[in-house]
Amino acid sequence: MLRWSVHLEGGPRRVNHAAVAVGHKVYSFGGYCSGEDYETLRQIDVHVFNTVSLRWMKLPPVRTGGHERVREVPYMRYGHTAVLLDDIIYLWGGRNDTEGACNVLYAFDINSHRWFTPKISGTVPGARDGHSSCVLWKSMYIFGGYEQLADCFSNDIHKLDTTTMVWSLINARGTPARWRDFHSATIIGTKMFVFGGRADRFGPFHSNNEIYCNKIKVFDTETNCWLNTPSTQPLPEGRRSHSAFSYNGELYIFGGYNARLDRHFNDLWKFNPEAFSWEKVEPKGKGPCPRRRQCCCMVGDRIILFGGTSPCPEQGMGDEFNLMDHSDLYILDFSPNLKTLCKIAVIQYSLEQSGLPHDIRWELAAMTTNSNISRPIFSSHG
């Protein structure tokens, strides 16, 4: 029984950040918040969410002992990616309003909380943001994004072998996915499933003729080939800046934004790679409002979703410039335990007996199913 089981407020207000699940904790790196200073170079911030205690902690800044040491720590950025391999989180790409886009590979040791820049070789991808990264075995795959030097969308695939720390540009066969940024790429088995993103109708250069593809493109990492895929119905609306994750061999997407429709989404879709078919999913409980540029991480049977940005309520669905940034967090539970279900059932029954209007009952149920919602959830401890 799929259910939105927890809703918390008061976490870090972050948009276009990157996050990784490590055991029962979620590490969130960088991003931005409207009104903050992104002209000054400063260390990237790291927030940690404990899924057991349901509390956030901000890690202290790294002490740097000179110019060389400063380079080991990434500066604040957005539109970057982060992946976990063994005990190391690899952070790559993204941009800053002062420095522009970046192509330095940074590594974060989850045991010591220390940053370092691994010695790499090979064909390093050009600096970009809005790309995707995913992991298979000991390799990280980078796809797409907006390349700063070429000033265009990319549809290249780069691979970093973390056993040798060698970058390579994959010579992919078949018909590639279209040039794009702010898409998602998810590994299921040995295949990479690419969905959505922003592209241009006429090619790799951005001419303000944006298109939002809603078809899945599949890359086979064993043959280095883009596969021909069938067309199926129904399909989700095309979108960018959504979230994607896999669970039990199926692909899920949530939220995102389509500028041509001027619409933010909070729908959840499931894709079955065997049947090559989509299905809209309606979880129980009260989920997030329509948003984009949030983060989703899987911890066990639960998805931790937090942050992002949405149209201001007074602006209706609004446009690019009337947005509010979120500091909330939701948990989507694929297998809620009996204690949680019983607690929700008792609360809902009590509220039904109260005679309150239906919409108010829902709000109260969402609040009382989690006792931490009304108090600060930041902690000075782990």
Side-chain angles (χ1 to χ4, degrees), residues 18 25 73 85 106 108-109 143 151 156 209 218 276 352 358:
K25 294 181 179 179
V73 184
L85 271 157
Y106 293 95
F108 181 80
D109 187 314
F143 171 73
D151 197 20
D156 290 339
N209 286 280
V218 182
F276 220 86
E352 284 169 4
H358 178 76

Side-chain angles (χ1 to χ4, degrees), residues 6 18 29-30 92 103 116 129 196 204 207-208 233 243 277 284 287 300 346:
V6 171
F29 300 89
W92 192 84
N103 70 341
F116 62 98
D129 70 326
S207 67
N208 292 317
Q233 295 292 335
S243 296
S277 61
K284 301 289 186 181
V346 168

Side-chain angles (χ1 to χ4, degrees), residues 1-236:
M1 180 192 297
L2 192 57
R3 173 180 287 276
W4 294 105
S5 60
V6 171
H7 170 206
L8 299 170
E9 295 284 351
R13 195 177 303 276
R14 282 288 170 262
V15 179
N16 236 350
H17 42 311
V20 174
V22 182
H24 68 279
K25 294 181 179 179
V26 172
Y27 287 74
S28 177
F29 300 89
Y32 68 85
C33 176
S34 300
E36 288 188 359
D37 172 24
Y38 289 92
E39 296 294 335
T40 305
L41 285 185
R42 67 182 192 278
Q43 287 186 22
I44 197 166
D45 58 23
V46 183
H47 292 89
V48 183
F49 180 70
N50 187 317
T51 64
V52 176
S53 66
L54 300 182
R55 289 186 173 272
W56 283 101
M57 175 186 69
K58 185 176 182 180
L59 297 187
V62 176
R63 292 182 180 178
T64 54
H67 186 63
E68 288 301 314
R69 185 72 186 94
V70 169
R71 288 196 211 165
E72 300 279 297
V73 184
Y75 51 76
M76 197 66 172
R77 64 191 60 205
Y78 49 90
H80 50 295
T81 56
V83 300
L84 175 68
L85 271 157
D86 297 324
D87 289 340
I88 303 297
I89 295 173
Y90 292 100
L91 185 146
W92 192 84
R95 69 169 50 250
N96 178 284
D97 292 349
T98 299
E99 293 291 307
C102 177
N103 70 341
V104 175
L105 179 70
Y106 293 95
F108 181 80
D109 187 314
I110 61 173
N111 297 309
S112 65
H113 288 176
R114 303 293 290 177
W115 288 100
F116 62 98
T117 50
K119 189 172 289 187
I120 52 147
S121 60
T123 307
V124 180
R128 69 192 68 197
D129 70 326
H131 56 286
S132 59
S133 65
C134 47
V135 167
L136 180 62
W137 310 126
K138 298 291 186 179
S139 294
M140 176 175 72
Y141 289 83
I142 298 289
F143 171 73
Y146 199 87
E147 289 196 64
Q148 177 169 290
L149 191 60
D151 197 20
C152 68
F153 298 108
S154 170
N155 67 347
D156 290 339
I157 303 174
H158 292 82
K159 176 182 175 181
L160 175 70
D161 184 336
T162 61
T163 61
T164 60
M165 298 312 293
V166 175
W167 281 104
S168 58
L169 171 63
I170 292 179
N171 183 19
R173 297 180 292 114
T175 305
R178 195 175 185 86
W179 312 272
R180 65 186 74 193
D181 67 358
F182 294 106
H183 53 284
S184 60
T186 309
I187 293 286
I188 301 178
T190 57
K191 296 181 174 66
M192 180 174 73
F193 292 79
V194 175
F195 176 79
R198 175 183 62 170
D200 192 275
R201 187 176 303 279
F202 302 112
F205 297 98
H206 194 199
S207 67
N208 292 317
N209 286 280
E210 293 181 357
I211 57 173
Y212 295 84
C213 180
N214 63 348
K215 295 179 175 60
I216 288 275
K217 291 291 291 184
V218 182
F219 177 75
D220 189 330
T221 63
E222 292 185 317
T223 61
N224 283 345
C225 186
W226 288 100
L227 305 181
N228 292 322
T229 53
S231 295
T232 57
Q233 295 292 335
L235 293 171

